[in-house]
Each structure stands twice: as structure tokens, then as C-alpha cells.
Amino acid sequence: MATEILMPALSPTMEEGTLAKWLVKEGDTVSSGDIIAEIETDKATMEVVGYAEGVLLYQGVKAGEAAAVNGVIAVVGKPGTDLMPFMSAI
């Protein structure tokens, strides 16, 4: 089992955001409510809070790269989870 972490919208008109910095790395254990990354737009910087428990299995966006709102930026789940079902969304 795994959960996709999506790029949040900082405003109703936001279409994409830049992942400024990861605060955890692949393989780190995360809990629901942990701050896992920072994203920015031309107007604001915001912390991304994880909403799943487990291990950060995959970072889909590198620091400095942009991602569409509701695009997958990470996958959290149990170690050893098959990520292939998530690859089409990333």
C-alpha cells in the first residue's frame, strides 16, 4: 500500500509550483502531519505536510523543478512497495 503526495494549490488560480527544498529524503520514515518539503510560487512559500504514514519511497520532483497542481510529487508507503502502478501518474 502506498499514497501519492500531490502538489497543493496555494491559491485558486495557481497552476503549478516549484519544489524549493525537500526536508526528507527517500528512505526516511514520515508520519502524517510531518513537513516533508517546501514549495514556492512567485508570491508565496509554503510547507508541504505529508498526509500518509510510512517511508518516503519516491521523490517525483527534484528541488528547483516545477510540478502541476495535483501532480504527484512523492509516494509514501511500506518499504518494498511496487511503484510501477504509480509511474504513469508521475
Side-chain angles (χ1 to χ4, degrees):
M1 303 285 295
T3 302
E4 298 170 334
I5 305 296
L6 307 178
M7 173 64 77
L10 300 180
S11 74
T13 59
M14 180 178 159
E15 294 181 8
E16 71 176 18
T18 300
L19 197 132
K21 177 171 64 170
W22 283 103
L23 302 176
V24 295
K25 62 184 183 300
E26 287 182 12
D28 286 353
T29 300
V30 296
S31 297
S32 182
D34 285 354
I35 299 167
I36 62 169
E38 294 177 353
I39 58 168
E40 58 186 23
T41 68
D42 57 340
K43 298 179 183 179
T45 300
M46 180 178 149
E47 296 170 335
V48 176
V49 176
Y51 41 85
E53 307 264 335
V55 171
L56 184 67
L57 300 171
Y58 180 74
Q59 292 176 337
V61 179
K62 294 180 182 170
E65 292 182 346
V69 169
N70 293 321
V72 177
I73 60 171
V75 177
V76 174
K78 291 185 176 186
T81 298
D82 180 13
L83 294 177
M84 288 308 294
F86 298 94
M87 291 298 125
S88 62
I90 297 172

